[in-house]
Amino acid sequence: MKLSTPSGFATEVFLVEAPDRELLPEGPWTLVGDLRLREAWLAAGLPEPSHALWVSVPEEEKKLRTVIPWLEHWAGVPLHREATVVALGGGVLSDLAGLAAALYLRGVAWQVWPTTLLAMADAGLGGKTGADLAAGKNLVGAFHPPRRLVACTSFLGSLPPRHQENGRWELVKIALIQGELDWAAEMLQEGPVKIPWVERALAYKAAVVHRDPREAGERRLLNLGHTLGHALEAASGYGLLHGEAVGLGLLGSCLLAEDQGLKAFPPAFLGTMARRLAALAPLVPAWPACLPLLCRDKKARHVLGGGEEPATEIHCILPRPGEPAVQRVLAPQAWERPHARLMDLLDQEAARA
Ligand SMILES: NC(=O)c1ccc[n+]([C@@H]2O[C@H](COP(=O)([O-])OP(=O)(O)OC[C@H]3O[C@@H](n4cnc5c(N)ncnc54)[C@H](O)[C@@H]3O)[C@@H](O)[C@H]2O)c1
C-alpha cells in the first residue's frame, strides 16, 4: 500500500507485507544491507547487485569511519551519479547509508528499506542522515531524503522482542506530541505493535517534515523525549537502546512539564509508562553522568551571561495531556528533578513486579 503524503513530499512511502522487487530503483543501483537480512532478502527473490555491501554495524560504530570504506568501494566499482543506493536495515544502517549517499559525488539518490520497527516508524522518514561524534549522538549529518521508503513488515518476523518494544516508544512519542492520551495508552497496553499505528505515525511525521523540512520550528516537536533520551543513551554506553532511552525520556518529559507548571498527566498513565520501562532501571545512568551530555546536546545554545562561564540553554519539548506539546528553552539543570522522580517511579514499579 502506498501511503498518501503531502503533495511534493520528497519521499514516496510504501507499507507492504512482502517485499516487492517492482519497488526497487528502475535505473542502476547498489545495496548496503544488514548482513542479518541477507537470507531473507534472497529468500524473497530479490536481486543482489554484484557490488552489494552486506555489513554489521552496531550502534557504537555509527561513526564517520564506518562509511569511508563504503565510499571507497563505490568509487572503485565505479558507481555513477545516476545510481541509487538502497539501504536495507535498522536506523543505524539507514542513517549511515543515507549519509554516505549524501556524501558520495556530493549526493546520489537513495531508497530506504527499513527492517526494524523503529526505523519503519521513525528513522527511515524525514531525510535526517547522520553519524555520532565522541561528544554526542548524531552530531554530524546531512538532510538528504530518500526517494522512496519501503517498509516490508515480513522482515520484522526475525526482529528480537527487545527491538519490537524499542520501536513502540517512537510511536508513543507521536501520540504524546499531539496530546493524544488515549492513543498513547492503547499503545502502552500489552500485545504486539499494530501496523495501523505505524501508518498513522508515518502520516503525521510526513506532514510535519513537509511543513518544516529543516527543523526550523514545528519539526522540533519530533524531538520529544530525545533531549533526556540521547543523554541517557550515551551515558549508558549504549546499554540502553535508542527507543528505550526515548521511552525513559518521554516519561521524564511528562514529569518536567509538570515541574514547569503545565497540566499534570494522570498518575495511572505515568504508572503504565513506568511499568513498561521498569526493567530498564538498572541501566539508567545516574544524574551526574547525564548532565554533561545534556549540556552538549546538539540543540544546546551557549549564551554569555554576566558571569565568567557561558550558561547553557537547551531546547525542551513538553507534552501536555489532551493538547499538543509545547517548546521551551530551559537550563539543563531543570532535568535533575524529573530524572530523580523517573528513577523513583521505575523503582516503585520494579518493586511491585
Ligand atoms: N534519522 C532519523 O530521523 C532517526 C530517527 C530515530 C532514530 N534514529 C537512529 O536509529 C538508530 C536506532 O535504530 P534501530 O533501533 O533500528 O537499531 P539498529 O539499526 O541498531 O538495529 C537493531 C538491531 O537489529 C538488527 N536487525 C535489524 N533488522 C532486523 C531484522 N529484521 N531481524 C533481526 N535483526 C534485525 C540489527 O542488525 C541490529 O543489531 C539510532 O542510531 C538512532 O539515532 C534516526
Side-chain angles (χ1 to χ4, degrees):
M1 175 209 344
K2 186 174 180 189
L3 295 196
S4 99
T5 47
S7 150
F9 189 59
T11 307
E12 289 181 297
V13 182
F14 291 86
L15 191 52
V16 292
E17 206 216 319
D20 178 355
R21 62 189 301 157
E22 295 292 310
L23 295 174
L24 285 166
E26 277 168 17
W29 62 282
T30 194
L31 178 80
V32 189
D34 185 322
L35 192 53
R36 285 200 169 94
L37 271 303
R38 185 165 183 236
E39 231 179 283
W41 181 266
L42 297 177
L46 295 168
E48 181 186 36
S50 57
H51 34 74
L53 287 168
W54 290 102
V55 295
S56 286
V57 189
E59 182 77 61
E60 53 279 16
E61 283 304 317
K62 195 176 142 185
K63 298 275 164 55
L64 278 173
R65 64 168 176 255
T66 302
V67 302
I68 310 269
W70 305 356
L71 298 170
E72 294 287 3
H73 174 74
W74 294 342
V77 170
L79 207 66
H80 295 289
R81 207 177 284 272
E82 348 34 272
T84 300
V85 172
V86 173
L88 172 79
V92 169
L93 187 135
S94 59
D95 275 10
L96 286 177
L99 178 63
L103 293 174
Y104 185 67
L105 302 181
R106 301 202 180 88
V108 292
W110 71 296
Q111 288 190 356
V112 61
W113 289 54
T115 63
T116 63
L117 185 57
L118 185 133
M120 286 184 190
D122 193 20
L125 192 72
K128 281 191 186 178
T129 70
D132 301 339
L133 295 179
K137 288 268 303 162
N138 301 328
L139 288 184
V140 63
F143 285 101
H144 188 47
R147 294 268 167 89
R148 185 174 281 173
L149 179 154
V150 184
C152 308
T153 54
S154 62
F155 284 139
L156 295 176
S158 54
L159 195 65
R162 187 172 173 197
H163 284 280
Q164 301 272 1
E165 284 311 296
N166 188 45
R168 184 187 297 263
W169 292 106
E170 295 280 9
L171 297 169
V172 174
K173 174 193 82 175
I174 297 287
L176 286 179
I177 291 172
Q178 299 169 89
E180 302 247 12
L181 215 52
D182 290 347
W183 184 31
E186 183 190 346
M187 291 191 284
L188 288 167
Q189 298 304 310
E190 290 308 320
V193 165
K194 299 197 175 118
I195 298 307
W197 298 343
V198 177
E199 202 182 315
R200 192 170 161 185
L202 284 174
Y204 175 77
K205 184 166 179 184
V208 172
V209 168
H210 190 61
R211 287 193 290 267
D212 179 17
R214 292 283 171 140
E215 201 170 302
E218 183 189 8
R219 184 170 179 175
R220 292 184 185 166
L221 292 174
L222 295 170
N223 294 322
L224 176 62
H226 284 64
T227 306
L228 181 62
H230 277 159
L232 293 172
E233 185 182 2
S236 75
Y238 300 99
L240 285 170
L241 300 179
H242 178 77
E244 293 170 345
V246 168
L248 293 160
L250 289 175
L251 180 51
S253 305
C254 295
L255 301 169
L256 177 65
E258 194 182 326
D259 262 8
Q260 294 295 314
L262 300 181
K263 189 173 166 197
F265 280 81
F269 179 80
L270 298 179
T272 308
M273 279 182 95
R275 209 153 29 253
R276 271 212 169 263
L277 294 163
L280 303 173
L283 298 175
V284 179
W287 171 249
C290 300
L291 181 60
L293 287 154
L294 279 168
C295 295
R296 280 188 277 169
D297 187 272
K298 157 157 107 287
K299 298 166 288 299
R301 288 191 307 185
H302 302 286
V303 284
L304 287 173
E308 292 193 348
E309 286 291 313
T312 302
E313 290 179 335
I314 52 175
H315 200 93
C316 301
I317 315 296
L318 305 179
R320 300 180 296 176
E323 287 175 277
V326 291
Q327 310 193 25
R328 291 267 169 92
V329 174
L330 299 170
Q333 288 76 9
W335 285 96
E336 183 170 5
R337 216 173 85 93
H339 178 279
R341 283 186 66 202
L342 167 70
M343 300 290 270
D344 284 350
L345 278 174
L346 297 186
D347 287 346
Q348 278 167 27
E349 291 301 330
R352 214 180 291 208

